[in-house]
């Protein structure tokens, strides 16, 4: 049985990633039958610690891991490193004497405790007295309730986390109310869907992007664009001379650097660099998510018999968040880029094999396990392939973007 595990970012008010919640499912098996919650949480712990490694899954950020009553009472949470894990007590856990005692032990051991899907009840008082973080579902609560919880628990030193925040407007509301942390896909949505010109400093990156998405890249034109911009030249030379490539001599020529990168790696580097620069006023996680989707889509090309479309699938994943990065309608943005027609069609909701792969990727990264089985069946994917490609994509995105971040300094 393959382990299906995805992650969902949790942000600070500055839209920096504070942690990831690990989302689990133990397999597909038709319509995803109910999996025992104890088994689910235990598998997350064991696989996070032993098989996958928390560092790989979270890039060094904290991990929120769900805890059932039995796992709490059995002190299994202490298997997790206290400086890397947040113990998330499920809403289904009744605060009986043994549960409260277990949370006391965790508190004394300096673990961070979060209460999931919190609702105000007198019976919850023993747990709220121990909680460091309270999670509030923004889809099931009213604005008045959300504000009241901040006023009640904020002065006690409890940090409020707004979950299922799906729009920029909901994020702003939560910030105004005084919430500390925010979970949901608001960061992947455009703030304003309107036409607006790119600032002058972004034009170079748009020009670079327009060149590298062409089927046949003209290295002379790319070298000319890079060579005219001191920052771009510096980033390219830092990147090619980084430990990621392990070259035995220092490269100081722009044309030589581009030649050593090769067309495939050039497309990746320039594409992600351009997105990162265009998204300079956006959460960094937006580019991480774009890179993850790109590699995930590309990885599934081999498993779905679409190897000849691997480059198109990479572009599909990478540009799937372009509207959120530039706050402009995706259709208008795609008219400005020489992207293959099949990729444009898939991005705009068309049908076909590229879109089928993207739908599968999107379903997995959001932890929509109930619909994943149908997506996989449509592509004739076995249940061992998709989670493996996801893990590879997470590791690759973190590694490549960390190299780029180092090169940018």
């Amino acid at each position: 049985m393959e382990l299906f595990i995805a992650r969902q970012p949790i942000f600070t008010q500055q839209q920096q990633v504070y942690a990831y919640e690990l989302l689990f499912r133990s397999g597909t098996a038709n319509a995803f039958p109910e999996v025992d919650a104890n088994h689910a949480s235990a598998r997350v712990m064991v696989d996070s610690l032993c098989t996958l490694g928390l560092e790989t899954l979270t890039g060094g950020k904290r991990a929120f891991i769900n805890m059932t009553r039995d796992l709490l009472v059995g002190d299994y949470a202490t298997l997790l490193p206290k400086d890397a894990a947040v113990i998330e007590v499920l809403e289904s856990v009744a605060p009986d004497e043994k549960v409260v005692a277990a949370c006391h032990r965790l508190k004394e051991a300096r673990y961070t405790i979060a209460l999931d899907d919190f609702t105000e009840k007198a019976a919850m008082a023993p747990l709220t007295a121990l909680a460091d973080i309270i999670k509030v579902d923004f889809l099931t609560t009213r604005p008045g309730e959300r504000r009241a919880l901040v006023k009640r628990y904020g002065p006690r030193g409890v940090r409020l986390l707004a979950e299922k925040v799906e729009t920029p407007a909901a994020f702003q509301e939560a910030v105004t109310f005084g919430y500390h942390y925010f979970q949901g896909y608001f960061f992947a949505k455009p703030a304003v869907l309107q036409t607006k010109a790119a600032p002058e400093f972004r034009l170079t990156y748009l020009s670079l992007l327009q060149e590298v998405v062409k089927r046949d890249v003209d290295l002379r034109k790319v070298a000319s664009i890079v060579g005219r911009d001191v920052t771009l030249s510096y980033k390219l030379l830092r990147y090619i001379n980084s430990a990621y490539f392990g070259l035995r001599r220092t490269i100081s020529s722009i044309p030589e650097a581009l030649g050593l990168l090769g067309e495939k790696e050039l497309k990746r580097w320039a594409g992600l660099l351009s997105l990162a620069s265009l998204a300079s006023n956006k959460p960094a996680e937006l580019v991480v998510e774009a890179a993850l989707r790109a590699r995930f889509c590309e990885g599934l090309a081999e498993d779905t018999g679409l190897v000849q479309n691997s480059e198109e699938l990479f572009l599909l994943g990478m540009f799937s968040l372009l509207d959120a990065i530039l706050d402009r309608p995706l259709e208008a943005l795609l008219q400005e880029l020489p992207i293959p027609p099949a990729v444009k069609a898939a991005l705009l909701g068309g049908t076909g094999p590229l879109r089928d792969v993207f739908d599968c990727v999107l379903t997995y990264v959001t932890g929509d396990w109930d619909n994943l089985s149908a997506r996989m069946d449509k592509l004739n994917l076995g249940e061992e392939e998709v989670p493996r490609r996801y893990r590879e994509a997470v590791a690759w995105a973190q590694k490549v973007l960390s190299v780029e971040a180092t090169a940018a300094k």
Side-chain angles (χ1 to χ4, degrees):
M1 182 74 68
E2 183 59 66
L3 176 72
F4 286 76
I5 186 165
R7 64 184 198 177
Q8 189 171 106
I10 295 171
F11 295 92
T12 64
Q13 289 186 346
Q14 292 72 38
Q15 298 191 42
Q16 297 176 338
V17 176
Y18 163 68
Y20 291 96
E21 179 172 354
L22 302 186
L23 309 173
F24 170 88
R25 200 79 194 205
S26 64
T28 52
N30 298 322
F32 283 107
E34 286 300 316
V35 176
D36 177 73
N38 291 315
H39 173 70
S41 293
R43 281 289 301 275
V44 168
M45 285 196 297
V46 171
D47 284 275
S48 297
L49 286 170
C50 304
T51 308
L52 307 177
L54 281 178
E55 178 68 29
T56 299
L57 286 168
T58 68
K61 303 296 183 183
R62 288 194 165 210
F64 278 59
I65 297 179
N66 293 336
M67 286 288 142
T68 63
R69 180 186 185 282
D70 289 348
L71 290 174
L72 284 168
V73 172
D75 289 329
Y76 290 102
T78 57
L79 294 172
L80 296 164
K82 65 186 68 176
D83 59 341
V86 174
I87 308 305
E88 186 168 340
V89 182
L90 292 171
E91 70 277 10
S92 58
V93 176
D96 60 36
E97 185 177 336
K98 289 185 177 180
V99 167
V100 173
C103 289
H104 266 291
R105 292 193 293 273
L106 288 170
K107 191 76 172 180
E108 289 171 358
R110 303 179 68 85
Y111 278 89
T112 300
I113 298 174
L115 303 183
D116 188 30
D117 286 342
F118 182 77
T119 53
E120 186 71 34
K121 297 176 184 176
M124 292 296 294
L127 287 184
T128 55
L130 298 170
D132 299 286
I133 298 171
I134 286 177
K135 300 181 71 173
V136 180
D137 188 329
F138 262 47
L139 292 183
T140 60
T141 56
R142 297 177 180 178
E145 296 175 74
R146 301 167 194 162
R147 190 192 296 269
L149 288 171
V150 174
K151 290 182 177 180
R152 185 171 299 116
Y153 294 103
R156 303 183 191 180
V158 178
R159 288 161 285 167
L160 278 292
L161 187 158
E163 60 179 333
K164 297 181 184 174
V165 178
E166 300 301 315
T167 66
F171 168 73
Q172 289 301 328
E173 177 190 275
V175 170
T176 301
F177 286 172
Y179 280 75
H180 290 79
Y181 303 123
F182 314 86
Q183 183 176 359
Y185 282 91
F186 68 92
F187 71 99
K189 304 287 178 64
V192 182
L193 280 177
Q194 63 181 25
T195 301
K196 71 179 175 184
E200 189 67 31
F201 76 91
R202 293 183 174 184
L203 295 180
T204 299
Y205 292 101
L206 284 173
S207 297
L208 179 61
L209 200 57
Q210 288 172 334
E211 284 300 322
V212 298
V213 298
K214 293 177 180 177
R215 183 173 294 276
D216 297 313
V217 178
D218 187 331
L219 289 181
R220 288 178 301 178
K221 287 186 178 180
V222 174
S224 176
I225 294 171
V226 173
R228 291 197 305 267
D229 188 282
V230 174
T231 303
L232 261 179
S233 299
Y234 177 72
K235 287 182 177 181
L236 172 62
L237 294 176
R238 281 292 302 271
Y239 184 65
I240 196 66
N241 288 300
S242 69
Y244 181 69
F245 292 97
L247 299 179
R248 295 183 178 180
R249 61 187 178 86
T250 300
I251 307 301
S252 57
S253 161
I254 299 299
E256 185 180 10
L258 294 174
L260 286 170
L261 274 181
E263 187 170 310
K264 183 177 181 179
E265 192 65 30
L266 170 61
K267 285 175 177 284
R268 289 175 171 178
W269 172 76
L272 293 175
L273 172 65
S274 298
L275 288 186
S277 300
L278 293 169
S280 58
N281 62 334
K282 294 282 187 170
E285 185 67 14
L286 199 55
V287 179
V288 174
E289 180 75 9
L292 191 160
R293 291 184 184 187
R295 181 65 175 217
F296 198 180
C297 285
E298 181 187 47
L300 288 177
E302 182 178 339
D303 302 320
T304 54
L306 295 169
V307 176
Q308 72 279 8
N309 301 109
S310 60
E311 184 179 305
E312 292 176 322
L313 283 166
F314 187 90
L315 290 175
L316 173 57
M318 186 170 67
F319 287 127
S320 63
L321 292 168
L322 193 60
D323 55 345
I325 289 172
L326 292 176
D327 289 327
R328 291 179 57 197
L330 189 58
E331 187 171 8
L333 289 167
L334 294 179
Q335 290 176 358
E336 301 171 8
L337 295 169
I339 295 176
V343 176
K344 288 185 179 181
L347 283 169
L348 296 175
T351 59
L354 299 188
R355 182 69 200 194
D356 291 341
V357 171
F358 179 67
D359 284 340
C360 183
V361 163
L362 198 59
T363 301
Y364 191 100
V365 298
T366 57
D368 183 9
W369 308 131
D370 293 334
N371 291 309
L372 181 60
S373 182
R375 303 293 190 193
M376 291 171 58
D377 288 345
K378 191 172 185 179
L379 293 165
N380 294 315
L381 287 167
E383 70 173 38
E384 74 284 351
E385 293 157 341
V386 180
R388 175 170 58 87
R389 294 298 185 185
Y390 174 76
R391 293 194 294 268
E392 290 173 354
V394 169
W396 180 86
Q398 289 176 170
K399 184 176 182 179
V400 169
L401 291 174
S402 67
V403 170
E404 170 52 37
T406 301
K409 293 179 180 178

